[in-house]
């Protein structure tokens, strides 16, 4: 609601555009993280494996994500959406740093350890 009041004009359109940019950024960050740690991952027999196509598929997925972001953020038109996404990322980063300082164990445990999915 604060964003709708603070943004002039087509605030809803800005929020919709921001809500499409953020998942693309998260997907791209996941691909970059995977490319960074893939050599240290364990390989299990019988598990799904792309074999030699693993790296080309990951690189193409990253290129596709960059193309999608390029289409979502045309220069000048999506300035408000980019500011919203940057603000959300900044707030999330500050929350994460706060959790590191205040409660480091929160990173290592899941809330409600007696989940039905643990069985």
């Amino acid at each position: 609601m604060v964003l709708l009041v603070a943004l002039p004009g087509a605030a809803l359109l800005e929020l919709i555009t921001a809500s499409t940019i953020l998942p693309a950024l998260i997907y791209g960050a996941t691909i970059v993280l995977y490319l960074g740690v893939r050599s240290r991952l364990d390989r299990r027999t019988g598990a799904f494996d792309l074999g030699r196509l693993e790296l080309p598929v990951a690189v193409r997925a990253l290129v596709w994500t960059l193309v999608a972001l390029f289409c979502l953020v045309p220069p000048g038109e999506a300035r408000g959406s980019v500011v919203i996404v940057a603000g959300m990322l900044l707030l999330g980063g500050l929350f994460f740093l706060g959790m590191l300082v205040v409660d480091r164990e929160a990173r290592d445990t899941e809330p409600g350890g007696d989940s039905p999915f643990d069985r």
Side-chain angles (χ1 to χ4, degrees):
M1 292 303 290
V2 172
L3 291 174
L4 287 173
V5 172
L7 292 173
L12 185 59
L13 184 59
E14 298 285 343
L15 291 174
I16 291 171
T17 306
S19 69
T20 57
I21 294 171
L22 195 56
L25 284 176
I26 292 170
Y27 182 59
T30 303
I31 297 168
V32 169
L33 178 64
Y34 174 74
L35 287 171
V37 299
R38 73 183 189 91
S39 62
R40 293 180 277 173
L41 296 176
D42 292 334
R43 304 286 184 209
R44 294 184 181 171
T45 11
F48 178 77
D49 189 10
L50 287 175
R52 296 180 304 159
L53 296 176
E54 177 184 32
L55 185 60
V57 167
V59 169
R60 285 187 179 120
L62 185 59
V63 168
W64 175 256
T65 303
L66 292 174
V67 168
L69 282 171
F70 180 76
C71 293
L72 288 171
V73 187
E77 294 178 19
R79 188 168 303 151
S81 302
V82 171
V83 169
I84 292 171
V85 169
M88 291 172 65
L89 291 174
L90 179 67
L91 285 175
L94 289 174
F95 179 78
F96 180 72
L97 288 175
M99 292 304 290
L100 283 178
V101 171
V102 174
D103 189 10
R104 289 186 66 87
E105 287 184 26
R107 289 184 315 133
D108 303 327
T109 58
E110 293 183 32
D114 56 344
S115 168
F117 299 109
D118 293 337
R119 296 181 192 138

